[in-house]
Structure formats: C-alpha cells, structure tokens
Amino acid sequence: MLGSGGLSIGQAGEFDYSGSQAIKALKEENVATVLINPNIATVQTTKGLADSVYFLPVTPEFVKKVIELEKPDGLFLQFGGQTALNCGISLYREGYFEKMGISILGTPVDVILATEDRELFSEKLQEIDEKIAPSISARTMVDALAAANKIGYPVIVRAGFALGGLGSGFAYNDKELTDIVTLLSPLQKWFL
C-alpha cells in the first residue's frame, strides 16, 4: 500500500484514516500488508498495524526498491492521496506493474485516470446522465475569462492536479478571476 505521506496541522487526514482501515480489513482476512509511508506520525504507521512499514518517500524510485525486496502480488494506490496516485500512475504508464506481475487492487488505474482529469470526469458523468454543475477547462487567461462569462459568476476555480486543495478559489467577477488565475499560472490548466 502506498501510504498517506506527510500531513500537516489543518490538513485533512482522510487518506490516513481510509488507509489504516484498509490495513485493518486486510489483517482480518490474513492478508500480509506492506506499507510505504514517510510519515511516522500517521495512524497507518502505528506499530503492529501493517506487517512491514517502510518509512520512505512515496516516489517511483523508492517504491520500486520496496517492490523488488517484498515482491507483492498486488498494490493499492487509492489510500495515499495525490502523492500516492501520482506515483502509481507514473509506474503504471512506465509498464512497471505489468513487468513485475503486480495487480492493482481496488480502484483500477483507468478509473483513477478518469477521475484525475476533471474534464474527462465531467464527460464520464454526462455519459451516464448524472447531473453536475457546468464546468469548462481553460489553459489561458482569455479562455478562463470566456468560460466564467459563459457559465456566469460566481465561479469556483480549481487548478488541474493540485496537492492538498491548493490552487483554488471563488471568483465573483473578472478581476477576481484574473487574480486567482494569475496566482495559478504555473499550473497551466484551470477548471471553472
């Protein structure tokens, strides 16, 4: 299991909680668990919870080393938040899991990819006639302003692929939207 990693005060602990509950459920089923989580102050890393705990960064390089040492049959990506998802997606795209004969357990990678891309996720929900708030992706300030004016203010602005909810805000007019997008400009893609 790729763990929740660093948490700071004021940050949500839902991945630590869900990961620790998953480890407990696996333990009840007598499934040996190996956890990679660099944060010694999480519930996931509590002594005796997982069978093995590696206090290492959740990066492709370290995950590969643990996989080669432990030789797991399967791997959970969804209990570690954005860092674990990014790492798992990177290894998946590289073909590493297939090469090592590792099954992705729980949420399949193609589903993770669909939910990671807000535009694709919106399209998938529309395909099943699920009601959602209108949204438009934008890559330039001009596109962001056009999208906001098409949807109508106020709008919620979210950066594509942000860690810990960073890169978001509410805009009630063009100036506020311009201010938010200017702060987010290194991220290059926004959703309104």
Side-chain angles (χ1 to χ4, degrees):
M1 179 180 298
L2 302 186
S4 60
L7 296 173
S8 24
I9 294 172
Q11 195 175 29
E14 65 270 16
F15 297 110
D16 185 30
Y17 177 79
S18 64
S20 61
Q21 295 305 305
I23 293 169
K24 287 179 184 178
L26 291 166
K27 192 176 197 98
E28 287 175 9
E29 297 298 321
N30 294 315
V31 175
T33 56
V34 176
L35 172 68
I36 304 171
N37 188 331
N39 189 344
I40 61 170
T42 64
V43 177
Q44 285 182 6
T45 57
T46 299
K47 185 175 180 168
L49 195 55
D51 295 286
S52 299
V53 178
Y54 290 84
F55 293 104
L56 296 169
V58 180
T59 64
E61 298 76 26
F62 284 107
V63 170
K64 284 179 180 180
K65 288 179 183 183
V66 173
I67 287 173
E68 288 161 17
L69 182 67
E70 293 284 347
K71 299 177 181 22
D73 298 319
L75 183 68
F76 284 107
L77 305 177
Q78 69 271 24
F79 297 112
Q82 196 65 53
T83 300
L85 292 175
N86 290 348
C87 178
I89 289 168
S90 175
L91 292 170
Y92 171 81
R93 286 183 171 151
E94 180 184 315
Y96 182 76
F97 298 135
E98 187 176 351
K99 173 184 151 195
M100 298 300 289
I102 296 172
S103 298
I104 298 303
L105 306 172
T107 308
V109 176
D110 61 330
V111 173
I112 292 170
L113 290 169
T115 60
E116 286 284 291
D117 183 319
R118 289 182 173 92
E119 191 171 13
L120 180 58
F121 185 64
S122 176
E123 290 170 11
K124 294 288 186 190
L125 290 175
Q126 289 174 18
E127 284 175 16
I128 61 170
D129 293 323
E130 186 64 37
K131 291 182 181 180
I132 59 170
S135 64
I136 301 172
S137 65
R139 291 188 183 270
T140 68
M141 182 67 74
V142 170
D143 290 345
L145 289 166
N149 283 287
K150 182 176 181 179
I151 293 170
Y153 286 103
V155 294
I156 299 172
V157 183
R158 291 281 304 175
F161 309 108
L163 291 173
L166 298 173
S168 63
F170 290 90
Y172 292 88
N173 54 51
D174 286 356
K175 184 192 178 319
E176 290 179 2
L177 176 63
T178 300
D179 291 346
I180 293 169
V181 170
T182 300
L183 289 172
L184 301 177
S185 61
L187 300 173
Q188 296 301 310
K189 189 172 185 182
W190 315 282
F191 296 90
L192 296 94

